[in-house]
Amino acid sequence: MQKLKISKIDYKKRGKMEGIYNKSAEELLNLINSLIVFLDSNGTIVLINKKGCELLGYKKQELIGKNWFDACIPKEKRKEVHVVFNRLMKGELNYTEFFENLVLTKKGREKIISWHSTLLKDDKGKITGTISSGEDITERKKAEKELKESEEKYKVIFDEAAEGIIVADAEKKNFISANKKIQEMLKYSEKEILELGITGIHPKKDLPLVIEKFKEQREGKITTAENLPVLRKDGKVIYCDITSSQVMIRGKKIMLGFFRDITERKKAEKELKESEEKYRLLVENIPQKIFLKDSNLVYISCNENYAKDLKIKPKEITGKTDFDFFPKELAEKYRADDKRLMETDKMEDIEEGYIQDEKKVFVHTIKTPVKDEKGNVIGILGIFWDITERKKAEEELKERAEELEKFNQFAVGRELKMVELKKEINELLNQRGQPKRYQID
């Protein structure tokens, strides 16, 4: 969920507050995947975003100017909630930033919303309204209730978990229980696993490492022991990441071990590493042009086809900018587009002009921001290809369609004139007492 974090802000008056939220601001709010609603001190809805309208089932114009409590709070709760809100507006109650309550949709369905709200004040400190960000937690609350009501469901979750789970005595190192998934992974029954213990489900030669990792987990030094060999009943060795969690049950320290089989992942990683050169050759030889720029819009690399267009070798592009290859006007456009995409963190799929062999052609371009492991935008990646012939074909089809439309209009007009002429002939024959010559629908 995206949260709108807004500090307490003083506004001189409600009119000024409304004026601040211009069209672009509303568009930004509409991108947030949470219900955002602004209420004035009377509880009137000043602004609500797209997600809010979708969640409540209303169109925006159906809510703006309406009283929030009359429109969106269940009748049996309406008076109580409204009284609390009015007291808050008067400063009679301590403000609660986080809270939950029921809302009512247009179709009469009740939903539980988790709210994060902020009071709005004018420059004199008078409370003028609220801005609230809400998340629909109806399904989550329902799930919590169901889990609480049935202990048996905990057992189902344990047995049907996607990961293998073993419950062990942290001090004695013996196993207490094992779920179905770990039984499938090791090809043992639960009884057999409990009898084997830690030393029985790992290869003997790897036991010193396994016991050392178990000790580190028990002491809280590590949470996950990665890439540990595990011995199955059929003698085959698989590899698992084992994540531990410790709990105290009746004064006894219990360890939960979550086994994730990474055997196939290890195999895939090996194959991926072995085929790295193949992928590099693929990128270098595909007909599309590919380039990579850093956050300063300086080229880092490109593939062979793009380098050919620029009449350079791929390695020569490093450190260059668009100004080194394109007319100033076009280079400025490319750089402005790249900067905008990095600032907005959005991918763009466009068709645009491009200079190739000193001729203008049309290309289909896809650009996307490049991020580091922390999610920070550190550059721009682009791929494009020539669509000049397609554009020419589209233009020819358009011209042909226009010609056909003109011909159709001419043909229809001629047919209408023939019908009118037949009507006139039938009328003359009728006046002379003769039968009609043409049957007209």
Side-chain angles (χ1 to χ4, degrees), residues 3 45 65 85-87 89 97 202 225 261 272 293 300 310-311 327 337 348 379-380 394:
K3 291 185 177 180
I45 302 170
F85 179 81
N86 288 335
R87 293 188 66 187
M89 292 302 99
E97 187 178 5
H202 297 281
D261 188 345
L272 182 62
K293 298 178 185 178
I300 297 175
L310 302 178
K311 295 181 171 48
D337 289 344
E348 188 167 72
I380 194 89
E394 289 176 352

Side-chain angles (χ1 to χ4, degrees), residues 415-430:
E415 183 65 24
L416 290 174
K417 289 181 181 180
M418 291 297 296
V419 170
E420 291 299 321
L421 181 59
K422 289 177 181 180
K423 286 181 178 179
E424 291 179 6
I425 292 173
N426 284 344
E427 180 63 25
L428 290 173
L429 292 173
N430 182 54

Side-chain angles (χ1 to χ4, degrees), residues 95-301:
Y95 178 65
T96 302
E97 187 178 5
F98 296 94
F99 60 94
E100 298 174 3
N101 68 7
L102 290 173
V103 298
L104 189 67
T105 69
K106 185 177 181 179
K107 292 184 178 180
R109 182 184 174 189
E110 292 184 354
K111 294 188 176 185
I112 305 171
I113 305 296
S114 175
W115 294 101
H116 177 194
S117 297
T118 300
L119 291 177
L120 302 175
K121 298 180 181 181
D122 60 20
D123 55 357
K124 295 180 181 180
K126 180 182 178 181
I127 298 173
T128 59
T130 64
I131 173 175
S132 301
S133 171
E135 178 188 3
D136 184 358
I137 59 171
T138 308
E139 294 303 318
R140 191 184 80 192
K141 285 290 186 179
K142 180 181 177 182
E144 289 173 354
K145 181 180 178 182
E146 290 174 349
L147 286 173
K148 187 177 180 180
E149 290 173 348
S150 176
E151 291 184 359
E152 182 59 29
K153 289 185 179 180
Y154 287 103
K155 175 62 177 173
V156 171
I157 292 173
F158 177 75
D159 279 336
E160 302 300 327
E163 294 182 338
I165 304 174
I166 292 179
V167 181
D169 185 315
E171 301 300 331
K172 297 180 180 180
K173 301 185 183 66
N174 62 296
F175 295 157
I176 298 172
S177 62
N179 74 340
K180 291 181 180 179
K181 184 63 179 180
I182 197 67
Q183 295 172 44
E184 294 174 5
M185 290 169 62
L186 303 184
K187 310 300 181 184
Y188 285 110
S189 67
E190 183 178 24
K191 181 180 179 181
E192 289 173 322
I193 292 174
L194 301 188
E195 291 174 349
L196 287 169
I198 293 175
T199 58
I201 64 168
H202 297 281
K204 288 184 178 180
K205 66 182 181 65
D206 297 301
L207 282 177
L209 172 65
V210 172
I211 293 173
E212 177 62 26
K213 292 298 180 182
F214 183 87
K215 180 181 177 182
E216 290 179 3
Q217 288 182 322
R218 185 184 61 192
E219 294 174 351
K221 294 179 179 179
I222 63 171
T223 301
T224 301
E226 298 180 346
N227 197 27
L228 288 185
V230 179
L231 185 63
R232 298 195 327 192
K233 186 176 183 178
D234 59 10
K236 181 179 179 180
V237 175
I238 62 174
Y239 291 86
C240 295
D241 285 346
I242 305 175
T243 301
S244 68
S245 177
Q246 298 187 47
V247 294
M248 294 295 293
I249 300 179
R250 297 178 183 177
K252 183 184 293 187
K253 184 181 288 187
I254 301 298
M255 289 188 68
L256 304 177
F258 299 86
F259 289 64
R260 176 172 294 180
D261 188 345
I262 62 166
T263 308
E264 292 301 317
R265 190 187 79 190
K266 280 176 64 67
K267 180 181 177 182
E269 288 174 350
K270 181 181 178 182
E271 292 174 350
L272 182 62
K273 186 175 181 180
E274 291 174 348
S275 65
E276 185 177 6
E277 181 62 19
K278 294 180 182 179
Y279 286 108
R280 188 189 68 79
L281 291 173
L282 175 64
V283 171
E284 287 298 330
N285 291 282
I286 60 174
Q288 288 81 4
K289 287 84 170 175
I290 302 174
F291 64 83
L292 176 64
K293 298 178 185 178
D294 65 18
S295 58
N296 294 316
L297 304 181
V298 175
Y299 282 102
I300 297 175
S301 64

Side-chain angles (χ1 to χ4, degrees), residues 419 423 438-441:
V419 170
K423 286 181 178 179
Y438 300 106
Q439 183 65 37
I440 300 173
D441 295 334

